[in-house]
Amino acid sequence: MAAAASTPSGRGSLDTHVPGMHISCLPGASTIKRLVSKKKLRFKQDGFDLDLAYITPRLIAMGYPSTGAESFYRNPATQVQAFIERYHAGHCKVYNLCIEKSYGAAVLGLPDAAVEQHGCFDHNPAPLICLGPFCESAKRWLDADPRNVVAVHCKAGKGRTGMMICALMVGPDLRLGLGLG
């Protein structure tokens, strides 16, 4: 059996214990993902099964791209990477809203500048002061090229992700309306 390799969290990955096999390929993986996703729609196309949704053609909400055992019930980072390469190669910027979890851009096969962390605490609305930097960065990225998309996630891709995507969709006057600009 292969020795456990180090993951970004410093723990060994279950993937290394079964060479050539990803944990999401194990029997029952899709059933567990459906149970975790509950009634949320999943992106099921071209062999992908991801907790991911297009809010608009250029705004993507998704669950956390995970490695190791967590990828059994969350989005496997390898599938997220393949999704980005297939549909948005060179034109995707990922925004991680988790304050409790981070990863390097290499996990998704992206350059460092293509992943930003705008951490907010789970089960809480994002502090208003966090909205401006996120919205400004995402707007700059979207304005830079009509092919650019943003993929936003927290852990489950619901609360924090929904709040920040809504803030981005409200528009550039948000900062003024909140007394922040």
Side-chain angles (χ1 to χ4, degrees):
M1 195 165 286
S6 182
T7 62
S9 67
R11 291 175 276 172
S13 168
L14 186 56
D15 299 338
T16 60
H17 296 290
V18 185
M21 184 174 172
H22 189 273
I23 193 166
S24 65
C25 297
L26 295 174
S30 62
T31 301
I32 290 176
K33 286 181 181 182
R34 278 194 310 276
L35 290 172
V36 170
S37 292
K38 297 181 182 173
K39 294 182 180 180
K40 291 190 309 184
L41 294 177
R42 298 182 62 81
F43 182 87
K44 291 181 138 188
Q45 185 175 311
D46 298 325
F48 292 104
D49 182 7
L50 293 168
D51 187 359
L52 177 150
Y54 281 90
I55 306 305
T56 72
R58 300 180 69 204
L59 291 176
I60 298 168
M62 66 181 193
Y64 193 86
S66 299
T67 58
E70 193 175 35
S71 66
F72 192 62
Y73 57 91
R74 296 205 186 278
N75 286 339
T78 54
Q79 279 193 24
V80 173
Q81 178 181 358
F83 168 85
I84 291 170
E85 288 173 2
R86 178 170 184 137
Y87 298 108
H88 305 292
H91 293 281
C92 184
K93 189 162 190 173
V94 178
Y95 291 87
N96 177 6
L97 304 178
C98 293
I99 200 166
E100 70 275 14
K101 299 172 73 117
S102 64
Y103 54 89
V107 168
L108 297 177
L110 297 171
D112 289 340
V115 175
E116 284 188 21
Q117 185 163 4
H118 292 262
C120 308
F121 289 103
D122 200 6
H123 304 292
N124 289 279
L128 296 179
I129 197 77
C130 296
L131 297 180
F134 164 78
C135 290
E136 289 168 4
S137 173
K139 183 167 177 10
R140 268 193 313 274
W141 175 254
L142 292 169
D143 288 348
D145 189 312
R147 297 171 294 175
N148 284 354
V149 300
V150 296
V152 184
H153 73 80
C154 50
K155 200 159 46 173
K158 297 185 298 183
R160 293 172 279 185
T161 298
M163 179 181 178
M164 297 300 248
I165 287 177
C166 286
L168 182 59
M169 293 176 74
V170 167
D173 294 333
L174 177 67
R175 288 176 54 92
L176 297 174
L178 295 174
L180 301 173

